Amino acid sequence: MKLFMAVALALPLLAPASADPLVSRGKPAAASSIEASGFEAGKAVDGSTTTRWASLEGVDPQWVRVDLGSAHTISRVRLNWEAAYGKTYKIQTSNDAATWSDVYSTSSGDGGVDDLTLSGAGRYIRMYGTQRGTPYGYSLWEFDVYGAPAGGGDTSPPTAPGNLRATGTTSSTVSLAWDASSDNVGVSGYTVFRGGTEVATVTGTSHTDTGLTASTAYAYTVRARDAAGNLSPVSNGVTATTQAGTGGVAVPFGSHTRPYVAGMLKPTGGQSALDAQVVDYYKRWKAAFVRQNCGNGWYQVYSPDADHDYVAEAQGYGMVIVATMAGADPDAKKIFDGLVKWKLDHPSSINPDLLAAEQNSSCVSVNGTDAATDGDMDVAYGLLLADQQWGSSGAYNYKQLAIRHINAIKKDEVNPSTNLMKMGDWSTPGGEHYYISRTSDWMASHFRAFRKATGDSAWDTIRNAHQNLITTLQNNFASSTGLLPDFVINTNSTPKPAAGEVLESPNDGNYYWNACRVPWRIGDDAVTSGDAKSLAQARKLNTWIKSKTGGDPGKIAIGYKLNGTQLAGGSSPAYFAPFAVAAMTDSGSQAWLDALWNRMVATPIDSSSYFAASIQLQVMITVTHNHWVP
């Protein structure tokens, strides 16, 4: 065992272990990210050395924190690292989980067990890692905190809930009930665990767990909590099996089994009501734009506002949306497979593993039959979602198709000298567009999914290149707004916004019909990964637009110069909806997020604009915490 005394320089000194009791066991825990389901923050305080918290791989900084329920004096922290350990990290305390004080720091961590004698105080305590000791992430078998309540607060836990039982099942739900616990002060709530993972906190003695898979057994336990944060012993366990259904889905819409990082907002209101509003909008989107034209088993997303009836961007949106809505739409897999067949039957003439960008009303590829990066990114991402939803042993091997598509993107849609996205496979060395990149193609969460699916670390390099360039552009060209231009030129030397038209319009260097998606794309990564760069970039955008409009979404205009000067009047979901994802990252923006949400809900679908409707639908999925990264 390694013993360290926390001193100014964090030099290791032998010290006796504190006699204070363990105060973190079973307390609420949160983390900046998790590697996958099964590695939640609570696994680091559950008393088991066979379960662990693990962060996303390859990302700094990361943290895991424990809520002790009330102010405590802290005398000792014991970190039991898995192989993925922190080389440089701090132990910090806080009274509000916002302002943190360092009570220990080291830059020479070497894994194993770090048993730290220190002196601190606070309700919250966290390990804050800034440099990983391995290429992976941070992972702790156990995060033990020793101390005592400040001022002799309540330390008596409630009794265990009694007689936990299943009171009913459907193909996607399990209803539970239990007998109330008792406590010397009073029970404030109950935490429900499915298979050891926290799924709900309720104040009553019943709960219905939703979004489950048909014909599947689920194990539950419940623990009571008092106002001081003391957690009861575990209730008796109960196992319930959902009824038979049609077509199993691994992550049904509304199941919320892939939680966001701690602290991300969602619109005010019950979760089931929010989910229902998304489903309603999806049904209207589907009726307006999903087609079965030209036979051949094809499904398409119709794009009346594009240059041609069908464009790759629309098909990519469709694949991501339909795979995500599985569980809410019984036809999701049938539609998805029709979209896959469309992709396979309309290959790019340059790289046949990519999708030709445009098709006419006769379903024939036109205009060069080459590929567009934005559509290909979403097609690959959608295939990864499908693999996790339905597996890859059916009519199409989604995983194999996804990896082929991802590798094709890397080969022909990534500039190998800058690691930035090109605009399509048609952009080749020596061409006038070779060192131009479109900011709406900079999708950090997609890059993370591609890295995980392929194991190719080049996607980490690609993601970092884009994130670093976003920060540079925000600092150098939009310091007061955080806005990005539609297109960036000179990516091989000194990147800067386009000066006039380089591909689409004189506004190519402004925040216009491409870059309007940027707050959504950056925000998607921020809420799911907790990445510090993405969070900072999203918050900068949110701070500006909230101030610019005075909190009125109706004042979000169609286009801006990078200094915030409005380009045109009017309103479109393509512009106001994406800012809702950025708003999620700011704890002080609940009213602003609610206003944006209400604006979306009140805006009818315009059947002449697949672009705006598809963006709003995907934003609604994200802000209701239904987006997930495969």
Side-chain angles (χ1 to χ4, degrees):
M1 177 180 294
K2 295 177 291 181
L3 298 173
F4 295 104
M5 178 70 76
V7 296
L9 298 178
L11 297 174
L13 296 172
L14 289 175
S18 165
D20 281 337
L22 177 64
V23 293
S24 56
R25 182 68 49 80
K27 294 295 176 68
S32 53
S33 69
I34 60 172
E35 179 183 343
S37 179
F39 297 100
E40 294 79 12
K43 300 297 175 63
V45 292
D46 63 359
S48 171
T49 56
T50 62
T51 61
R52 60 188 174 95
W53 163 70
S55 74
L56 286 172
E57 296 181 356
V59 179
D60 289 310
Q62 298 287 341
W63 53 262
V64 59
R65 78 170 186 230
V66 183
D67 178 1
L68 301 178
S70 62
H72 280 59
T73 57
I74 309 300
S75 58
R76 177 186 172 203
V77 168
R78 187 176 186 273
L79 305 174
N80 185 353
W81 295 100
E82 194 254 353
Y85 66 93
K87 180 180 180 182
T88 301
Y89 67 88
K90 299 176 180 180
I91 302 299
Q92 300 177 312
T93 59
S94 174
N95 288 318
D96 58 6
T99 301
W100 295 89
S101 300
D102 298 346
V103 295
Y104 173 81
S105 65
T106 183
S107 58
S108 56
D110 58 0
V113 175
D114 292 341
D115 203 333
L116 313 172
T117 299
L118 43 80
S119 178
R123 171 176 170 172
Y124 301 89
I125 185 164
R126 73 178 180 180
M127 184 289 298
Y128 185 83
T130 56
Q131 182 181 355
R132 291 162 286 116
T134 73
Y136 303 103
Y138 298 83
S139 184
L140 286 166
W141 294 110
E142 285 296 295
F143 180 19
D144 291 333
V145 180
Y146 297 81
D154 176 22
T155 60
S156 299
T159 61
N163 190 27
L164 175 63
R165 56 205 181 272
T167 58
T169 63
T170 69
S171 62
S172 61
T173 67
V174 171
S175 296
L176 304 167
W178 55 90
D179 296 342
S181 299
S182 60
D183 184 69
N184 63 320
V185 177
V187 174
S188 60
Y190 297 88
T191 302
V192 180
F193 298 85
R194 183 203 309 134
T197 299
E198 180 179 329
V199 293
T201 298
V202 298
T203 56
T205 56
S206 63
H207 173 67
T208 297
D209 193 21
T210 62
L212 306 178
T213 302
S215 303
T216 302
Y218 293 94
Y220 295 92
T221 54
V222 177
R223 301 179 78 175
R225 191 186 312 278
D226 65 19
N230 298 307
L231 206 59
S232 78
V234 180
S235 71
N236 62 290
V238 66
T239 299
T241 301
T242 51
Q243 299 177 24
T246 56
V249 179
V251 188
F253 177 83
S255 60
H256 304 282
T257 57
R258 305 289 181 93
Y260 293 177
V261 294
M264 298 300 104
L265 302 178
K266 65 180 177 182
T268 300
Q271 185 66 67
S272 60
L274 295 173
D275 293 346
Q277 288 175 305
V278 180
V279 173
D280 174 69
Y281 195 89
Y282 166 74
K283 290 177 179 177
R284 289 184 280 134
W285 171 87
K286 178 181 168 184
F289 303 111
V290 176
R291 299 282 192 270
Q292 276 185 289
N293 291 339
C294 305
N296 293 311
W298 292 332
Y299 272 88
Q300 316 95 346
V301 175
Y302 175 52
S303 51
D305 44 331
D307 290 341
H308 297 280
D309 285 32
Y310 313 107
V311 294
E313 176 186 74
Q315 312 321 310
Y317 285 163
M319 292 175 79
V320 172
I321 290 168
V322 171
T324 303
M325 297 303 298
D329 182 357
D331 293 327
K333 190 175 188 302
K334 178 175 68 176
I335 296 170
F336 190 90
D337 283 354
L339 291 166
V340 172
K341 192 171 191 306
W342 177 271
K343 164 220 159 12
L344 294 173
D345 291 347
H346 295 87
S348 167
S349 58
I350 296 174
N351 188 323
D353 283 330
L354 300 175
L355 170 61
E358 297 170 309
Q359 290 79 38
N360 62 19
S361 60
S362 299
C363 303
V364 175
S365 294
V366 294
N367 199 21
T369 68
D370 44 30
T373 299
D374 50 2
D376 284 319
M377 292 279 287
D378 277 333
V379 167
Y381 193 86
L383 287 164
L384 293 176
L385 291 172
D387 170 64
Q388 292 206 16
Q389 289 286 46
W390 301 296
S392 290
S393 60
Y396 296 106
N397 187 325
Y398 304 129
K399 184 67 173 289
Q400 182 184 73
L401 289 172
I403 291 175
R404 284 171 51 187
H405 211 99
I406 292 166
N407 290 338
I409 292 171
K410 179 186 173 186
K411 177 179 180 292
D412 283 319
E413 293 181 332
V414 176
N415 188 310
S417 63
T418 66
N419 290 304
L420 299 174
M421 304 310 297
K422 300 189 299 175
M423 291 179 285
D425 60 358
W426 49 268
S427 178
T428 56
E432 61 177 319
H433 298 101
Y434 191 59
Y435 292 110
I436 299 176
S437 190
R438 178 172 40 217
T439 59
S440 54
D441 297 344
W442 301 357
M443 309 175 197
S445 58
H446 286 49
F447 300 145
R448 294 186 198 277
F450 297 170
R451 166 67 164 91
K452 184 176 180 181
T454 63
D456 185 351
S457 62
W459 289 107
D460 293 332
T461 302
I462 293 165
R463 174 176 52 79
N464 285 322
H466 289 87
Q467 289 183 299
N468 291 338
L469 182 52
I470 291 172
T471 298
T472 298
L473 291 167
Q474 286 188 327
N475 290 341
N476 294 345
F477 299 99
S479 59
S480 63
T481 67
L483 295 172
L484 299 187
D486 275 10
F487 297 94
V488 176
I489 63 174
N490 298 347
T491 58
N492 60 326
S493 54
T494 306
K496 62 181 182 179
E501 183 173 350
V502 295
L503 187 71
E504 294 186 359
S505 81
N507 283 311
D508 283 352
N510 294 322
Y511 181 84
Y512 210 46
W513 285 100
N514 287 288
C516 64
R517 295 168 283 187
V518 163
W520 157 44
R521 294 302 195 184
I522 292 176
D524 263 359
D525 185 62
V527 301
T528 54
S529 76
D531 182 89
K533 292 178 183 177
S534 293
L535 283 167
Q537 292 158 4
R539 287 167 177 163
K540 189 176 185 72
L541 287 161
N542 179 64
T543 298
W544 169 75
I545 193 64
K546 184 166 65 167
S547 174
K548 175 76 173 179
T549 62
D552 180 0
K555 294 181 179 178
I556 297 177
I558 295 179
Y560 295 92
K561 294 182 179 180
L562 300 191
N563 65 5
T565 301
Q566 182 174 317
L567 293 176
S571 179
S572 170
Y575 283 88
F576 64 73
F579 281 113
V581 186
M584 297 174 67
T585 67
D586 174 30
S587 60
S589 289
Q590 184 65 61
W592 172 233
L593 174 60
D594 288 345
L596 287 160
W597 174 258
N598 292 334
R599 174 81 174 180
M600 286 188 280
V601 171
T603 301
I605 283 182
D606 178 358
S607 60
S608 67
S609 179
Y610 92 91
F611 183 77
S614 299
I615 290 172
Q616 174 166 317
L617 176 53
Q618 291 175 92
V619 167
M620 292 176 74
I621 288 169
T622 297
V623 298
T624 56
H625 290 223
N626 282 294
H627 171 65
W628 51 280
V629 181

